[in-house]
Amino acid sequence: MDFKKIEYINRSTNKVETEKVPGENFLKFLYYNPLGTLSLETIVKRKFLSKWYGKKMDSPKSCGMIENFAKENGIDLNEAKKSLNEFTSFNDFFIRELKDGARKIDFDEDTLVSPADGKILVIENLHDSSKFFLKGEEFTLNEFFKDEKLAEKYQGGVMVIIRLAPVDYHRYHFPADGKISKSTEIEGYYYSVSPHAIRKNFRIFCENKREYSILSTEKYGDICICEIGATMVGGIKQTYEPNTFVKKGDEKGYFYFGGSTVILFLEKDRVEIDRDILENSIDGIETKVFMGEGIGKKF
């Protein structure tokens, strides 16, 4: 498979844009070079590397990286609650909170919103004994959840994948009002979730460390919210209180340094995903969305 730049649809202009990827040459080496693949399997996917790098990003010395990283990647520092000189490390900047109003949340009661900033891809009709195929790779809900009842629950439903790049705001939020369960952890590896990696192996989502919780809603049924760990992600931190009622837009948690993914599993016939996102997904291209932006309507 040839190496291709990552393209996505800018939803506000409906034009194709090319994503600027920090460390793209390293990803190219890992996934498109035999020597890189060897190091991927023996070192990079292991927890110790991501844990080590996460600690490095917690060092006060890492503050020196912030300004250039923000400038090179077009990050608006004015959105953050803290000013540049208030951050105590790169990770402190990476998990930054935003000022009130920095993200507009669609509070229409029949609108499901994106839980995070990122690029979205939607797969409808999860079927065939909870099994379906993407680009030749077999992916099963039962393998993902390691729970037959959950796999059966979302058979025929919708999988909404929101990929967070390293340059994105890395806190994630609730997509609707509802009662939230505790988080269930599943141990796994730390493969990259970049499209460069997913193009080679969609099963990464079944192999990486992940957590999931169930948001029980009146409008959309039970939404399964999953957070996926990845290479150089120092950790997944849940900040919500389990078994409580939460509001759309409330914070659920955040990822430490690195790019990662939030996946929503929706029950069959409960949410109608916006047409533009669906059409782009069918064409195999992601759509840029922001936390709080509408992505679907009550069915």
Side-chain angles (χ1 to χ4, degrees), residues 167-218:
V167 301
D168 287 321
Y169 165 63
H170 262 64
R171 290 180 181 255
Y172 46 88
H173 300 248
F174 291 104
D177 297 352
K179 186 176 181 181
I180 185 67
S181 74
K182 70 178 181 64
S183 185
T184 297
E185 298 184 25
I186 300 176
E187 288 302 318
Y189 293 122
Y190 289 80
Y191 288 110
S192 168
V193 291
S194 161
H196 294 313
I198 300 301
R199 285 170 186 158
K200 300 288 283 188
N201 180 16
F202 190 83
R203 286 176 44 76
I204 283 170
F205 291 132
C206 286
E207 296 174 359
N208 274 18
K209 174 182 170 59
R210 54 201 181 276
E211 299 185 12
Y212 67 82
S213 48
I214 306 297
L215 180 65
S216 299
T217 77
E218 179 182 349

Side-chain angles (χ1 to χ4, degrees), residues 75-100:
I75 296 172
D76 184 0
L77 292 176
N78 292 320
E79 289 184 336
K81 285 185 177 180
K82 289 184 177 181
S83 62
L84 180 61
N85 60 8
E86 289 179 306
F87 292 115
T88 58
S89 66
F90 189 87
N91 236 340
D92 188 36
F93 156 73
F94 192 79
I95 62 171
R96 64 195 176 277
E97 293 182 88
L98 301 185
K99 294 175 182 175
D100 293 342

Side-chain angles (χ1 to χ4, degrees), residues 112 154 173-181 213-218 220-225 244-248 252 264-265 267:
L112 185 75
Y154 293 102
H173 300 248
F174 291 104
D177 297 352
K179 186 176 181 181
I180 185 67
S181 74
S213 48
I214 306 297
L215 180 65
S216 299
T217 77
E218 179 182 349
Y220 315 104
D222 289 348
I223 301 172
C224 185
I225 307 174
T244 61
F245 188 85
V246 296
K247 302 290 288 182
K248 180 193 293 184
K252 185 177 190 290
L264 305 180
F265 286 96
E267 294 179 276

Side-chain angles (χ1 to χ4, degrees), residues 8-12 14 111-116 118-124 158-162 264 266 271-290 292-297:
Y8 64 93
I9 298 292
N10 182 324
R11 204 176 188 192
S12 61
N14 201 35
T111 298
L112 185 75
V113 303
S114 175
K119 314 296 192 310
I120 189 171
L121 192 71
V122 173
I123 300 157
E124 290 191 297
V158 180
M159 183 179 185
V160 180
I161 305 167
I162 304 103
L264 305 180
L266 309 173
V271 178
E272 185 175 6
I273 299 297
D274 290 350
R275 178 53 50 187
D276 65 318
I277 293 174
L278 272 182
E279 290 177 352
N280 294 339
S281 297
I282 291 169
D283 290 337
I285 188 166
E286 299 167 310
T287 305
K288 174 64 179 176
V289 293
F290 292 93
E293 182 177 348
I295 60 172
K297 295 285 187 180

